[in-house]
Amino acid sequence: MGEAERGDSAPRVYVSYYCANGHETRQAFAVGADYPQEWDCPRCGLPANTDAENPPPPPHILPYKTHLAYVKERRTDGEAKEILTEALEDLRARRAAGEAIY
């Protein structure tokens, strides 16, 4: 297929985006179109902008917390021991009553 069968291509402008790892990404946009100031780098996923000297810094990502870490933020060791003692007493009472516990 040639240009005659598909129609003429729109004139394009190429915009370079730079990430903090030094990668350059060139995206094509139609002439006169508004292009974004930031673009995600396809190689590393970091944000990139059009300023090669001052690329945006990597985002601050909080480390993964386990369920236990969140529980420890809400409860003291004393409160945890109380809750555990109550749960064990309840479980033992239910077993003593002959209740099937799975």
Side-chain angles (χ1 to χ4, degrees):
M1 281 190 155
E3 286 295 316
E5 293 177 16
R6 294 187 312 185
D8 293 330
S9 296
R12 304 201 186 282
V13 62
Y14 289 90
V15 179
S16 292
Y17 292 92
Y18 304 92
C19 72
N21 286 338
H23 302 139
E24 177 184 5
T25 303
R26 293 189 60 190
Q27 297 294 326
F29 297 97
V31 171
D34 292 333
Y35 56 87
Q37 294 301 311
E38 286 201 1
W39 194 270
D40 289 338
C41 178
R43 291 180 65 190
C44 64
L46 291 177
N49 66 10
T50 56
D51 186 1
E53 300 298 319
N54 297 311
H60 177 68
I61 299 172
L62 296 175
Y64 173 77
K65 285 187 183 179
T66 64
H67 176 70
L68 181 59
Y70 283 110
V71 170
K72 286 183 175 184
E73 286 179 359
R74 295 190 314 261
R75 308 260 190 247
T76 64
D77 287 341
E79 291 172 331
K81 286 180 184 178
E82 281 181 35
I83 292 171
L84 179 61
T85 303
E86 289 175 18
L88 288 173
E89 287 173 2
D90 181 49
L91 182 63
R92 289 179 182 131
R94 289 172 55 196
R95 281 189 181 160
E99 187 176 335
I101 300 170
Y102 299 98

